[in-house]
Amino acid sequence: ARAMLITLCYLYLWARWGLCSAALIRRTVRRLHRSRCSFTFCCCRCAAAPAQQPPRRQAVPPPPPPPEERVCLRIGNKVFFTDETQFFDDLNRWSLLLISPFIYPDKLLTAEHIAFVTESVSAPTDNLQKTPGSSKEIVKWSDYCSPLAYKPGEPYKLIAEASVDNFSNLGIAFMEDRLQMDNGMVPQKIVCKYLHNLFLMSAGQDEEEKSKLEKESEHENESDGLSDKETGSGEHHHLHLSSCHECLQLENSTIESVRFASAENIPELSDNCGSKLEEKNDDCLLRKIKRVHLAGKPPNVLIYLGSKTAKEEFQQVKSILQECIDANSYTIYQLLEEQVLKAPWIDNSLLLIIATEEPISAKNHKQFMKFLSKGGKILGFSSSFTFDGVQIKRKSKLKKTVHELVVSKMDSTEVKLNLLVSGYVFEEVMKEDVSKVKTLSRLNNTDKDIVIVHLTYGDSGGEAILSQAHLELDINSLDVQTEEDFNLLKISNAKRYEVLKEILTSLGLNCELSEIPMLTPIYLLSSDEEIHLSFLKWLEGNVDAEGLRASSKVSLKFVSCCESKMEITPSLMPVITEMGNFSSEHFNLKTYQQNLQTKKLGKIVLFTEVTTTTMNLLDGLMFELPEEMGLIAIAVRQTQGKGRGGNVWLSPIGCALSTLHITIPLHSNLGQRIPFIQHLVSLAVVESVRSIPGYEDIDLRVKWPNDIYYSDLMKLGGVLVNSTLIETTFHILIGFGFNVSNSNPTICINDVITKFNKEEGTMLKPLTADCLIARTVTVLERLIDIFQEKGPNGVLPRYYRYWVHSGKQVRLYSEEGPIAWIVGIDDYGFLQVHEEGKGVESVHPDGNSFDMLRNLIVPKH
C-alpha cells in the first residue's frame, strides 16, 4: 500500500508539474548508480494505457510489468524501475563497432560512467512527440552516448556507455517519447546492467593468455595495411572475452587492427613506423582508445605534408582547420611519409588533406586512391595530386602572385576574392565520363584558368576537392611583399573562411559553431591594494548575509575563494575576492597595473575568462559605488557580446573586451555633449597604440561614429555607449572591443604591426590585450579631462589626425544621390557634410547608414 501511494504521488506530481519527472529521474539515477543497482526504462503493456503501445511488425512479447514496489515512475506505458543485478550471457555472439572497449575496459569505463543496453524494434517513428507543455525537441541516441557493441535481430540490441547525466537525459527522453535511434528503430527498453564483473572477467585474463595475445600482437604484418578482406567496409569484429577460446586464435591482422583502430596513436608512431609496436606504446594506446561514431569511423582528419616533418607547417594548416570546423567533433593528426603505406589510416579517417607541392610517389598515389575507393574524402592544397580527368599545368608567371578568383558556391551564386596562387592550374583531360569533374573556381584573368576542381571516384562516395590557390594559409605565413597584396588578402580573409567552410561542409564535415563555452567565475582584482581593501569594506555593508549583490541583469555573489560546485548562470555569477591564487593565460594583472596610470578609472577590475557580455556585469554596482573606485569589467570571451543596432559582436580569443564605468556631471562640457564620448573612446583606443614610442606610424584610425579601422579598409574594433541620467549625473557604461592578436577571420592590431615590421625593417613587439585595455583607459581619462576644460576644440585636432574621412566625397540618400563632402564634426559630435548649393548639414549617428566602402550617407529623416 505504501508503494502504491508513492507511485500515485509521483503520477500526480508529473501530471501537475511535468518537468518534475525529469528531476526525479536524475536524482534516482545518481542514487542507484552510486549503490551499483540495476535499473530499467521499459515500455510495458498494462491496463492503464494499452492504446499507447507502438505498433510492432514482429511477435516480440512485451516485457512483463515490474512489481509495483520497484516502480520509481510510470508515465503512460513507460516505466522506470529498479531490478536485480544482471549479467550478460552468450557474449561471443555480440559484435564490436570496429574497436574493442572491452580490452582492459577497467581503464576505459570510469566510475562516473554507466554501461547499458538498449533494445529496439522496427516500428514507425511518428509516435515520437513532445511532452505536453514542453519545448524540448527529439533527442538523438548517439548524441548522448558512445556505442560499444551490437547484436542484430529483433529486438536489436546495443551496448553503450554514457556519463551519469547523459544517461539521465536519455532516460528522460525515453519516458517522454522523444528518444530516436540512429537506425530509425524505436527504443523499447533501456537497461542499466551491472557490468563490473564482466569487465573484470575481460581484464583479468590469466598471465598465460595475456602473454600469448601480446606475442601474437607483435608479429610482423606483411601487408601494406589491412586488406579489404580483413576489414571490409561496414564489417565488425566479434566481441571476444576470456571465456571465449576464440580469443586465443585471433589473427595477427585483427590484433593489429585493434591496436591501430583509433588513429589517436598516429602521432605517437616511431619514425621507423614498423608494424611492430614497442611495449611502451601499448599502455599509451590502450589508455587513449577513442570511441568510434555509430557510423563506424572515428572522426579523424589527417594532414599529409610529404617528406616534411616540420611542426610549423602542420600547425599552420591545423589552426586554420580548427577555426572552420567544430573543434570538439574532430581530431587532427599529421600523416607522416613513413606512415602512408604501413599505418592502417585508410579505415579510420574521414578526410585526408594533401598540403605539399612535392611530387606524389606512385605507391602513395595508389594508397590515396584506395582511400577514395572506400568512400574517403581528399582535400588538396596546392598539391600535385590529381587523378582521372584532370592534370596540373605549370604557369610560372602565376607563382606567388595574388589574383582574383571567382568561386561557384553550392547555391549557384558566385563569390569573388583574392588569394595567393601556387603557380599551377588545372587542365581537363578528355575522357569518357567527364561528369565526374566539376570546376569550382577560375581566375578572373584572360585565360580563365581553373584553380579549384571537384572530382568523384568509385561507387562508395569517394570525392576530392583540389585547389591551386592558398586557401589554407594565413596572411602572416605568406611571403607577401607589397602593401597592395597585404590589403587585398586581408580584405578577402572573411570570404576565404566562407569558401573554405563550404568546401569542408561539402566533404561531410560539420562547420557549425562549436558549443558555447561554459561561463567561468569572476575575479575581483585591483591595480591598487588600498582601493581594493576600501572596496571590500564597502561591500560588507552592501551585500546580504550570503554575499549577494542583486541586480535585474546579473546578480553577483561575492565569495572568498573558488569552490568546485559554485553555481554560474547568466543571471547569477560568483565573484572571488581573494587575489592570491589568481592566474590567467590571457590576462596578466601586473601588465595591466603597469600600464594603468589613472586617478580613478579602471581601478577595480572584474575579470572573467568567459561571460555573456561585460555590459551587464557592472549593472548592480555602478550606481552606489564611491566615485574614486572606478569599475571595469574585462573578459577573454563573450557568448552574447553586443554591438550597435542589436548586432552580436563576435569575440574570439585575442580580442580586447571590456566595459568601463564613468560618471559625467550633466552641467559639464562633456555632460552637455554626451555623443562625444564614443568619439573619445575610439580615439583613446587608437592612441593607446600610436602613443607608444616606435608605434606612432602603425596605421590605426577612427571612423565616425564609433569604429576603429586599419587604414580606411577594414574594421578591427568598435565602441558601444549606454548612459543613464540620475539626478544631475550621467552614469555611463562604455563597452569597447578590438582585435589585438586574433588574425582571423579578419584583421588585428598585431597583423598591422607585423606588416609594418616587414616594410620598415623594424622589430616592434606584438602587443597584448591587458596592456592595451589599461592604456586605453589611461588615455581616455586624460581626453575627458581636456574636454571638460577646453570643450570640443581641445580634442578635435587629435581626432582629425587619425580619422579616415578627411577630404572624402560621399553620396547622400543613395548611390545615385547628390555628392557631398565630409567637413568635420560639429560641437555635439554629429558628422557635418557639405552639399554644393545647400551649405553644411549635420547628420546623426543613431539614424544613419554610413557605408564606408560605398561612401554612402543616409541622413536621418
Side-chain angles (χ1 to χ4, degrees):
R2 183 182 303 168
M4 287 296 295
L5 178 60
I6 293 173
T7 302
L8 289 172
C9 287
Y10 285 150
L11 286 171
Y12 172 77
L13 288 172
W14 178 82
R16 183 77 181 273
W17 302 290
L19 292 177
C20 287
S21 63
L24 171 67
I25 289 173
R26 286 193 176 93
R27 286 197 305 270
T28 308
V29 166
R30 292 190 183 104
R31 177 174 56 81
L32 293 174
H33 175 61
R34 287 194 298 268
S35 67
R36 287 296 187 178
C37 287
S38 294
F39 40 99
T40 304
F41 298 92
C42 71
C43 185
C44 294
R45 291 188 182 274
C46 61
Q52 296 185 19
Q53 182 73 12
R56 296 172 182 251
R57 296 179 184 173
Q58 72 295 325
V60 177
E68 286 297 329
E69 64 268 21
R70 295 180 184 170
V71 172
C72 301
L73 179 67
R74 187 189 302 275
I75 302 178
N77 68 327
K78 301 290 180 72
V79 181
F80 175 28
F81 70 103
T82 60
D83 202 357
E84 298 294 334
T85 296
Q86 302 181 44
F87 296 93
F88 281 122
D89 53 9
D90 67 335
L91 288 170
N92 59 323
R93 298 181 185 177
W94 290 75
S95 296
L96 296 181
L97 290 167
L98 287 184
I99 64 172
S100 174
F102 297 101
I103 299 176
Y104 305 122
D106 53 323
K107 296 182 180 180
L108 297 173
L109 187 64
T110 68
E112 296 304 315
H113 281 69
I114 292 178
F116 62 96
V117 176
T118 303
E119 296 182 5
S120 306
V121 297
S122 299
T125 58
D126 54 8
N127 65 310
L128 291 173
Q129 59 191 8
K130 298 178 188 177
T131 301
S134 172
S135 61
K136 296 180 179 178
E137 299 295 333
I138 299 301
V139 168
K140 193 174 180 181
W141 184 85
S142 61
D143 288 343
Y144 283 85
C145 60
S146 298
L148 308 181
Y150 77 98
K151 183 180 179 184
E154 291 281 357
Y156 181 86
K157 296 183 180 181
L158 279 165
I159 303 176
E161 72 164 5
S163 67
V164 177
D165 287 338
N166 280 345
F167 182 82
S168 301
N169 290 331
L170 287 174
I172 292 165
F174 175 85
M175 298 294 286
E176 296 177 354
D177 281 335
R178 296 187 294 106
L179 182 60
Q180 179 174 319
M181 303 301 291
D182 295 64
N183 58 9
M185 302 181 91
V186 174
Q188 293 290 291
K189 194 175 183 181
I190 303 176
V191 184
C192 169
K193 303 261 186 178
Y194 184 22
L195 300 180
H196 187 60
N197 284 2
L198 165 68
F199 293 153
L200 290 178
M201 189 166 56
S202 173
Q205 299 174 2
D206 60 53
E207 292 303 315
E208 182 180 347
E209 289 177 328
K210 278 188 181 180
S211 175
K212 189 168 184 178
L213 283 175
E214 287 171 358
K215 288 178 180 177
E216 286 182 6
S217 70
E218 291 178 355
H219 288 168
E220 185 98 333
N221 187 352
E222 300 295 339
S223 65
D224 290 339
L226 300 181
S227 68
D228 297 347
K229 183 177 179 180
E230 288 165 335
T231 54
S233 177
E235 293 181 0
H236 306 284
H237 303 295
H238 285 297
L239 173 60
H240 293 276
L241 299 174
S242 61
S243 59
C244 175
H245 295 290
E246 292 178 38
C247 283
L248 303 179
Q249 308 299 325
L250 284 175
E251 293 179 351
N252 175 53
S253 60
T254 305
I255 291 288
E256 285 292 313
S257 70
V258 170
R259 287 180 172 276
F260 282 108
S262 169
E264 290 282 355
N265 65 313
I266 285 179
E268 305 296 330
L269 291 178
S270 59
D271 289 339
N272 59 21
C273 196
S275 55
K276 289 186 178 181
L277 292 180
E278 297 177 359
E279 296 250 343
K280 63 182 180 182
N281 287 333
D282 293 353
D283 290 341
C284 177
L285 171 60
L286 291 169
R287 282 196 301 270
K288 296 171 71 175
I289 284 179
K290 190 178 181 69
R291 297 291 184 267
V292 297
H293 281 303
L294 192 58
K297 282 190 175 182
N300 295 327
V301 175
L302 303 185
I303 300 172
Y304 173 70
L305 298 169
S307 60
K308 297 179 181 178
T309 57
K311 293 184 178 179
E312 185 177 348
E313 287 89 345
F314 171 67
Q315 288 300 329
Q316 286 173 355
V317 181
K318 180 179 179 180
S319 63
I320 193 72
L321 286 175
Q322 288 176 323
E323 293 177 19
C324 291
I325 64 178
D326 181 359
N328 297 320
S329 298
Y330 305 95
T331 48
I332 302 171
Y333 302 111
Q334 183 176 355
L335 180 64
L336 300 177
E337 176 70 21
E338 55 268 25
Q339 296 170 335
V340 174
L341 301 179
K342 295 181 179 180
W345 57 270
I346 288 178
D347 295 307
N348 55 35
S349 301
L350 294 178
L351 175 68
L352 170 66
I353 293 174
I354 304 175
T356 176
E357 296 180 0
E358 296 178 2
I360 306 295
S361 69
K363 288 184 177 180
N364 285 358
H365 191 278
K366 182 180 178 180
Q367 195 79 330
F368 296 158
M369 297 307 294
K370 181 179 178 182
F371 175 60
L372 286 173
S373 70
K374 292 194 170 190
K377 316 291 183 181
I378 289 181
L379 176 56
F381 287 138
S382 302
S383 85
S384 61
F385 175 78
T386 59
F387 59 93
D388 279 359
V390 167
Q391 64 184 19
I392 59 171
K393 174 185 176 182
R394 180 193 294 270
K395 292 193 79 170
S396 299
K397 65 180 181 180
L398 296 179
K399 190 172 181 64
K400 291 188 177 180
T401 57
V402 176
H403 283 269
E404 185 178 63
L405 283 69
V406 181
V407 181
S408 301
K409 299 181 66 179
M410 286 188 291
D411 60 3
S412 299
T413 60
E414 291 184 342
V415 59
K416 293 182 179 180
L417 71 159
N418 289 279
L419 289 176
L420 197 72
V421 182
S422 70
Y424 290 87
V425 296
F426 293 108
E427 282 188 332
E428 294 186 31
V429 181
M430 292 303 294
K431 290 231 174 176
E432 292 182 5
D433 190 2
V434 294
S435 63
K436 293 185 177 181
V437 180
K438 181 180 179 181
T439 298
L440 297 184
S441 177
R442 295 178 181 268
L443 294 184
N444 195 11
N445 62 0
T446 305
D447 296 332
K448 303 297 180 184
D449 293 308
I450 301 173
V451 288
I452 305 179
V453 293
H454 175 269
L455 306 171
T456 58
Y457 185 80
D459 300 323
S460 300
E463 58 184 324
I465 293 181
L466 310 176
S467 172
Q468 292 299 332
H470 286 291
L471 284 163
E472 79 283 10
L473 296 182
D474 176 71
I475 183 69
N476 292 325
S477 60
L478 298 175
D479 186 19
V480 177
Q481 300 296 328
T482 68
E483 182 176 1
E484 180 184 6
D485 284 349
F486 176 90
N487 294 339
L488 287 172
L489 291 173
K490 266 302 180 182
I491 290 172
S492 293
N493 211 30
K495 291 181 180 178
R496 178 173 70 100
Y497 270 77
E498 178 186 341
V499 170
L500 190 51
K501 283 184 177 182
E502 177 151 303
I503 287 174
L504 291 167
T505 300
S506 70
L507 292 174
L509 276 74
N510 178 20
C511 292
E512 297 295 325
L513 290 176
S514 301
E515 291 182 10
I516 297 175
M518 298 286 290
L519 301 178
T520 59
I522 300 169
Y523 285 87
L524 176 66
L525 309 172
S526 178
S527 63
D528 186 299
E529 185 176 350
E530 185 177 339
I531 291 178
H532 187 83
L533 293 174
S534 299
F535 179 80
L536 292 177
K537 187 174 182 180
W538 175 84
L539 269 182
E540 291 177 3
N542 289 276
V543 295
D544 65 15
E546 296 183 350
L548 186 68
R549 177 77 181 179
S551 168
S552 60
K553 294 182 178 178
V554 179
S555 296
L556 303 177
K557 185 174 182 180
F558 291 86
V559 295
S560 60
C561 60
C562 182
E563 300 173 5
S564 58
K565 296 184 179 180
M566 286 191 298
E567 182 181 12
I568 309 175
T569 70
S571 58
L572 176 63
M573 296 187 181
V575 182
I576 300 165
T577 57
E578 290 287 343
M579 292 173 51
N581 295 326
F582 170 76
S583 65
S584 170
E585 179 185 352
H586 306 103
F587 182 82
N588 187 298
L589 180 59
K590 186 175 181 180
T591 300
Y592 179 83
Q593 292 170 333
Q594 290 172 343
N595 287 278
L596 187 75
Q597 307 294 326
T598 60
K599 297 188 290 289
K600 60 181 181 182
L601 295 188
K603 294 288 189 181
I604 299 294
V605 180
L606 298 182
F607 171 82
T608 180
E609 297 282 345
V610 182
T611 191
T612 51
T613 168
T614 57
M615 289 294 285
N616 292 341
L617 297 186
L618 307 183
D619 181 69
L621 297 171
M622 64 181 188
F623 297 121
E624 298 178 29
L625 192 68
E627 188 176 342
E628 66 273 10
M629 299 181 191
L631 282 172
I632 187 169
I634 300 174
V636 174
R637 298 186 68 184
Q638 293 181 141
T639 61
Q640 299 172 21
K642 298 176 182 178
R644 290 184 72 236
N647 294 327
V648 175
W649 180 261
L650 298 177
S651 50
I653 292 175
C655 188
L657 304 166
S658 59
T659 295
L660 178 71
H661 173 243
I662 66 172
T663 56
I664 302 294
L666 171 63
H667 299 296
S668 64
N669 267 332
L670 189 52
Q672 294 296 299
R673 299 167 179 83
I674 286 297
F676 251 105
I677 290 175
Q678 59 192 331
H679 309 323
L680 297 184
V681 180
S682 300
L683 176 59
V685 172
V686 171
E687 287 200 344
S688 72
V689 176
R690 300 189 68 163
S691 63
I692 303 175
Y695 293 76
E696 296 90 347
D697 294 325
I698 299 300
D699 198 6
L700 302 184
R701 297 184 178 275
V702 293
K703 169 184 168 287
W704 180 89
N706 62 347
D707 290 333
I708 298 99
Y709 259 60
Y710 155 60
S711 186
D712 61 352
L713 296 171
M714 299 184 69
K715 178 177 177 177
L716 52 71
V719 177
L720 182 66
V721 175
N722 289 337
S723 61
T724 304
L725 181 62
I726 297 180
E727 296 179 348
T728 60
T729 301
F730 278 108
H731 287 264
I732 299 172
L733 288 179
I734 303 168
F736 56 94
F738 50 93
N739 301 333
V740 179
S741 59
N742 50 309
S743 294
N744 298 312
T746 54
I747 192 172
C748 66
I749 289 172
N750 285 341
D751 285 339
V752 184
I753 293 172
T754 300
K755 168 182 170 290
F756 183 83
N757 283 337
K758 286 182 178 179
E759 293 175 350
E760 303 297 328
T762 54
M763 299 182 65
L764 300 179
K765 293 182 179 179
L767 300 174
T768 58
D770 40 26
C771 165
L772 292 184
I773 290 173
R775 290 185 62 84
T776 297
V777 175
T778 301
V779 174
L780 178 62
E781 187 176 75
R782 293 171 185 169
L783 290 173
I784 290 173
D785 290 344
I786 293 171
F787 196 101
Q788 295 291 41
E789 180 183 351
K790 300 180 180 179
N793 291 332
V795 298
L796 279 177
R798 296 168 70 169
Y799 185 81
Y800 291 146
R801 185 189 312 164
Y802 298 124
W803 84 331
V804 299
H805 308 294
S806 297
K808 291 290 178 69
Q809 270 189 357
V810 294
R811 288 195 178 269
L812 302 179
Y813 310 111
S814 69
E815 292 181 354
E816 291 77 33
I819 295 175
W821 285 264
I822 295 178
V823 175
I825 294 177
D826 67 16
D827 285 346
Y828 291 91
F830 302 136
L831 192 68
Q832 291 181 309
V833 296
H834 178 264
E835 182 183 356
E836 191 170 350
K838 292 190 177 181
V840 175
E841 178 184 4
S842 289
V843 292
H844 295 223
D846 60 342
N848 280 299
S849 168
F850 185 19
D851 190 327
M852 212 19 252
L853 301 180
R854 294 191 300 163
N855 289 327
L856 175 67
I857 291 180
V858 182
K860 185 177 181 181
H861 295 289

